[in-house]
Amino acid sequence: MPLVTSTEMFKKAYHGGYAIGAFNVNNMEIIQGITEACREEKAPVILQVSKGARAYANRTYLVKLVEAAVIECPEIPIVLHLDHGDSFETCKSCIDDGFTSVMIDLSSKPFAENIEGTKEVVKYAHDHGVVVEAELGALAGVEDDVNVSAEASHYTRPEEVEEFVSKTGCDSLAIAIGTSHGAFKFKPEQCTRNEKGILVPPPLRFDILEEIVKRLPEFPIVLHGSSSVPQEYVKMVNSHGGKMPDAVGIPEEQLREAAKSAVCKINIDSDLRLTMTGTVRQYFDEHPDHFDPRQYLKPARANIKETVRHKLVNVLGCAGKA
Ligand code: G3H
Ligand code: 13P
Ligand code: ZN
């Protein structure tokens, strides 16, 4: 089937008590690893491209690689989504390139400005059959061009969501309830430690989510910054020359709980980065004489596939839902 929008996917996910995985893509191996897992597990999927990914690969390559995945995986619905679009121009350019979904992220702007800018994107997107994700609240953490300090971050204010959604006409809403971008989501002093000495982060604010859901019945909610930062990969990186002390993510148990609620889209990037980096670091350590990129990218792609499979089956609950 051709690329789809997320409209039907979210409807089914909302009522089915599961979430769709939205995985960031930057190159061929990542796209192949994700879509092969989704194909084998019969899971719908959102492949998302950030502004930085577009700058890295150029605006044509990732679209064409995703189109190749659509041909290779005809049985599963695939959405091509712009992650963290920062302007009307970026969103327009992606819509013109064939994306079926865009995010306009004006969450760092004042409320009225966020509404106005989002509205403009919604108008152009809807005129072209494309859906729009918007954001209210500010996640802490580092994304390509944006670095939101813990102090500047704030939770979504439930009292703002109805006005925002009705005035903008957006199709889904990203909210801030305690997730954050990157592999270092919390400072050690914000966490406790378990018996193995591993950091345990503060719980997500499900009370805020509940309040938002009450005000926006049947409306798809999105969670960014939802990597779990698997400790086996942190260990793999660190034991093969890397340095990622105290990397910590969102516990899977909490993501499972979120996926059962109105949260229909869960964004994952850092876990794929960790998987790829850990695998390649170990490979280089074990095969210092190898220099053919296919030799080390092959296990990296295979491990990305297994990381994604684990998310689909054990965290998101979307396996078998294609
Ligand atoms: O939320 C941001 C994603 O992890 C994308 O990161 O902007 O560095 O491509 P990036
Ligand atoms: P992570 O850094 O937790 O993977 O979040 C990715 C994300 O939110 C992409 O928009
Ligand atoms: Zn994000």
Side-chain angles (χ1 to χ4, degrees), residues 9 12-13 16-20 41-44 76-77 316-322:
M9 261 184 208
K12 288 187 191 161
Y18 61 91
I20 311 292
E41 296 301 331
K42 299 182 176 46
I76 57 165
L316 303 163
C318 60
K321 307 293 186 184

Side-chain angles (χ1 to χ4, degrees), residues 238-255:
N238 289 338
S239 55
H240 295 286
K243 213 175 194 182
M244 298 185 71
D246 291 333
V248 65
I250 310 296
E252 288 184 346
E253 189 43 49
Q254 292 186 41
L255 295 168

Side-chain angles (χ1 to χ4, degrees), residues 48 83-84 103 135 139 143 181 224-225 267:
Q48 54 187 15
D83 190 28
H84 293 286
M103 176 189 195
E135 180 165 332
L139 270 68
E143 313 151 19
H181 288 109
H224 282 247
N267 284 14

Side-chain angles (χ1 to χ4, degrees), residues 43-244:
V45 68
I46 298 172
L47 300 177
Q48 54 187 15
V49 173
S50 70
K51 197 180 164 205
R54 235 174 152 229
Y56 169 74
N58 103 11
R59 65 184 273 184
T60 312
Y61 279 91
L62 292 174
V63 173
K64 294 299 167 195
L65 286 169
V66 168
E67 284 173 7
V70 167
I71 293 170
E72 291 297 321
C73 307
E75 322 86 335
I76 57 165
I78 301 179
V79 173
L80 174 56
H81 174 75
L82 166 66
D83 190 28
H84 293 286
D86 60 346
S87 65
F88 175 79
E89 288 68 34
T90 306
C91 292
K92 178 180 181 302
S93 152
C94 287
I95 293 165
D96 296 347
D97 280 354
F99 283 52
T100 51
S101 174
V102 293
M103 176 189 195
I104 175 72
D105 179 3
L106 301 177
S107 56
S108 59
K109 306 275 186 220
F111 187 61
E113 224 176 290
N114 190 353
I115 290 182
E116 280 321 300
T118 300
K119 231 162 106 175
E120 190 190 5
V121 171
V122 168
K123 167 92 182 77
Y124 189 81
H126 286 184
D127 284 349
H128 292 79
V130 169
V131 292
V132 178
E133 173 186 327
E135 180 165 332
L136 266 184
L139 270 68
V142 182
E143 313 151 19
D144 223 27
D145 304 319
V146 194
N147 186 344
V148 183
S149 67
E151 298 72 40
S153 70
H154 63 86
Y155 296 124
T156 305
R157 300 180 188 99
E159 61 278 14
E160 290 182 346
V161 298
E162 289 147 295
E163 182 185 350
F164 184 82
V165 167
S166 68
K167 285 193 172 160
T168 61
C170 66
D171 302 281
S172 60
L173 184 67
I175 60 166
I177 57 165
T179 60
S180 106
H181 288 109
F184 300 90
K185 297 190 186 299
F186 304 96
K187 294 189 184 119
E189 53 273 26
Q190 293 175 283
C191 305
T192 52
R193 282 192 193 267
N194 69 12
E195 62 288 349
K196 288 185 190 149
I198 292 172
L199 294 173
V200 180
L204 298 182
R205 291 290 304 271
F206 281 99
D207 56 323
I208 298 178
L209 172 62
E210 233 173 79
E211 194 52 44
I212 291 170
V213 176
K214 260 191 225 151
R215 291 164 188 259
L216 292 177
E218 309 261 326
F219 197 77
I221 300 298
V222 177
L223 279 192
H224 282 247
S226 296
S227 277
S228 299
V229 187
Q231 291 301 308
E232 65 269 29
Y233 276 108
V234 174
K235 212 168 148 193
M236 198 188 273
V237 168
N238 289 338
S239 55
H240 295 286
K243 213 175 194 182
M244 298 185 71

